[in-house]
Amino acid sequence: MRVIVVGAGVGGLTLAHGLRRAGIDVVVHERDSALGRPQGISLHIDERGASALRACLPPAHAAMAAATMGGPREQTLTLSEVDGSLVVESAQPSDGVAGRARPGRQAHRPLLRAVLLTGLEDVVRFGAEVTRFEQRGDGTVRVWCADGRVDTADVLVGADGIGSAIRRQYLPQVQVVDTGRRMLMGATPLRAVAESGLPDLIGDSPASMRAGGTMVALGVLRFTESPVAARQRWLPALCPSAVAKVEDYVMWALPSTQDRLGSATSPATELIADLPSALRSVVTQAWPETTVALRIGMIPPPLPWPASPVTVLGDAIHLAPGFGANLAMQDAHHLRDALVAANHGRFTLLDALAAYENTMRHTSFTPAKASA
Ligand SMILES: Cc1cc2nc3c(=O)[nH]c(=O)nc-3n(C[C@H](O)[C@H](O)[C@H](O)COP(=O)(O)OP(=O)(O)OC[C@H]3O[C@@H](n4cnc5c(N)ncnc54)[C@H](O)[C@@H]3O)c2cc1C
C-alpha cells in the first residue's frame, strides 16, 4: 500500500510516523519550506493527542515529546485583582465535563513539530503544494503539485489544514465560516516576569482574567526536562537548533474581533489597556517574533459522504482552535489503525476508510461543533 499525505502539520506527521512504523509506504507533500509559518507558540495536549503520539511515534520520539511538555494541568484558574495584587478568584477542575477543558500538558509547538519531522527526512517533501487530484479507473489517486510534480498512490489523505485544497475539491459542500473572532497571541520569557509573582501564582495551570472589555488567557510552560538535556537523552537525531535558546515562558492570548483588531493602531497596546499592570507587562515584554493575530474559523459538520480512496483529517475537515491539534492527532491515530488493518487484509480498503470516517464523525465532529 502507498499513501500520500498532503500537509506536514501535527496530524499529517503523526500519521506518517504511524504508517512508516507499520511498514506502509508513505510520502508527505508539504507546501511550506522546512521553516514552516507562525501558528501560535504552544498547544494544550490532552489524553487524545498524547495517546496518539505514544501509539504512532517511535518510542524515543514519544519520550522526547513527553519530556519537554510542561507539568500536569488539572485545573483552570480565574484571576482577579484585589488591592492592586493578582489573586486566584476561583479554580475549576479541568475534567472535560460540561464544556470544561480536559486535563493535559502544555507543549512548545515548534519543538513538537521538530520532533515530528525527525526521522521523516526521506518522507516529507517541502515546497510541494498540492493543487488537485484525480481518482483513476484502477482505484489509485494521482496528485499534481504547483511545481508540476505528479505522484500516485492507493490512498490520498488531505491533512492540509483549514484551507485544504483536498477538501475544496473532494467535498466542495463543506464551507469554512469566518466567525469574525481573532486571537492575538504571543509568548514572554518567564525570567522577564518572574518578579510579578504571576508564574508562582498560576503554576502549571491555565488561567484567565477579565478586566473591562478585555479577556486574557495565560499559561506558563516550564519544561519538565531541559530541552537540551532531553534531546541528548532521548533523541540525539533531533536538529540541535530545535532546542537551542528554548526557555521557559508565559504564553498569552487575547481574544478579540476582526473589527476591534482592524481599527486598532497598536492592537496589543489597545487590547491590554484595562488589564492590571502585571498582566500588561506580560504582553509588552513578549518576544516580538512570537506575536501573531490568528483568525478563528469554524466548519459546520457536513453530512456523511461515501468512502473512497481519498480522505481527510484534522483542521481540513473540523476546526476547534483550543483542542484541534488533539483531534488531528486522534484522527491520525484512528486512520493509522484503519490503514494497517486494510494492509493486513482484515478489511477492504474502502471498508477501512468508511470505518475511520465514521469514527471521526463521532469523536471529532461533535466536540468541534461544541467548541464553535
Ligand atoms: C489561536 C489558536 C490556538 C490553538 N491552540 C491549540 C491548543 O492549545 N491545543 C490544540 O490541540 N489545538 C490548538 N489549536 C488548533 C491547532 O493549531 C490545529 O487544530 C492543528 O494545528 C491542526 O492540525 P492539522 O495537522 O490538521 O493542520 P495544520 O497544523 O494546519 O497543518 C496543515 C499543513 O498542511 C500544509 N498545507 C496546506 N495546504 C497545502 C497544500 N495545498 N499542499 C501541501 N501542503 C499544504 C500547511 O502548510 C501545514 O503545514 C489552536 C489554534 C489556534 C488558531
Side-chain angles (χ1 to χ4, degrees):
M1 181 189 293
R2 182 160 200 270
V3 178
I4 293 175
V5 178
V6 181
V10 284
L13 292 174
T14 301
L15 176 63
H17 274 290
L19 295 179
R20 189 184 165 122
R21 288 187 71 212
I24 294 176
D25 184 14
V26 56
V27 60
V28 179
H29 292 277
E30 167 56 44
R31 173 190 60 194
D32 289 346
S33 73
L35 293 175
R37 65 182 68 196
Q39 268 197 310
I41 188 86
S42 64
L43 290 170
H44 174 83
I45 302 295
D46 62 34
E47 186 49 28
R48 294 167 293 187
S51 71
L53 292 174
R54 285 194 299 273
C56 294
L57 268 53
H61 288 61
M64 176 73 196
T68 50
M69 288 184 195
R73 309 175 102 198
E74 284 158 355
Q75 53 180 2
T76 305
L77 309 178
T78 302
L79 307 181
S80 64
E81 191 179 27
V82 175
D83 297 334
S85 300
L86 283 177
V87 296
V88 175
E89 183 183 285
S90 63
Q92 272 202 332
S94 301
D95 53 10
V97 175
R100 293 194 287 267
R102 294 182 184 224
R105 296 170 64 196
Q106 200 170 340
H108 185 47
R109 193 194 264 265
L111 177 52
L112 179 61
R113 183 169 188 271
V115 169
L116 288 169
L117 283 169
T118 303
L120 294 181
E121 293 78 5
D122 56 335
V123 168
V124 181
R125 297 179 185 166
F126 290 105
E129 179 182 0
V130 173
T131 53
R132 68 187 173 95
F133 66 87
E134 179 185 276
Q135 299 200 49
R136 293 151 52 86
D138 62 0
T140 61
V141 189
R142 178 162 286 178
V143 298
W144 279 263
C145 293
D147 62 5
R149 277 185 279 183
V150 176
D151 198 1
T152 307
D154 304 295
V155 181
L156 169 63
V157 182
D160 46 348
I162 184 169
S164 173
I166 304 303
R167 180 202 64 233
R168 286 202 311 269
Q169 179 180 340
Y170 186 50
L171 301 168
Q173 72 276 22
V174 177
Q175 296 295 322
V176 177
V177 179
D178 185 350
T179 61
R181 287 183 286 152
R182 301 290 179 266
M183 185 86 82
L184 194 67
M185 299 183 77
T188 306
L190 202 59
R191 59 186 154 74
V193 294
E195 282 180 13
S196 70
L198 177 76
D200 291 337
L201 182 70
I202 67 176
D204 295 316
S205 303
S208 67
M209 179 170 175
R210 238 173 235 289
T214 301
M215 210 276 260
V216 62
L218 303 152
V220 170
L221 176 45
R222 289 183 190 83
F223 292 95
T224 304
E225 192 174 337
S226 124
V228 171
R231 171 182 172 270
Q232 202 67 31
R233 180 145 82 111
W234 297 111
L235 200 57
L238 175 69
C239 175
S241 64
V243 291
K245 298 189 192 151
V246 176
E247 60 175 301
D248 296 349
Y249 61 83
V250 189
M251 179 285 298
W252 51 266
L254 293 158
S256 188
T257 59
Q258 182 180 10
D259 293 346
R260 203 168 164 206
L261 276 190
S263 61
T265 43
S266 172
T269 316
E270 292 186 28
L271 284 180
I272 61 176
D274 292 336
L275 295 178
S277 66
L279 297 186
R280 286 203 305 272
S281 73
V282 169
V283 175
T284 54
Q285 297 188 75
W287 287 298
E289 68 279 12
T290 62
T291 304
V292 283
L294 297 165
R295 229 174 243 266
I296 309 296
M298 65 164 287
I299 297 179
L303 293 172
W305 58 90
S308 84
V310 180
T311 193
V312 276
L313 66 72
D315 275 17
I317 189 66
H318 46 71
L319 292 172
F323 50 91
N326 291 285
L327 300 185
M329 290 188 278
Q330 174 179 256
D331 289 350
H333 184 179
H334 291 150
L335 182 52
R336 189 279 314 246
D337 288 351
L339 292 175
V340 169
N343 199 40
H344 287 161
R346 293 202 291 275
F347 298 101
T348 66
L349 181 57
L350 286 189
D351 284 349
L353 288 167
Y356 155 68
E357 289 173 351
N358 273 331
T359 303
M360 175 176 65
R361 284 181 191 107
H362 286 103
T363 57
S364 296
F365 280 9
T366 313
K369 190 177 173 191
S371 92

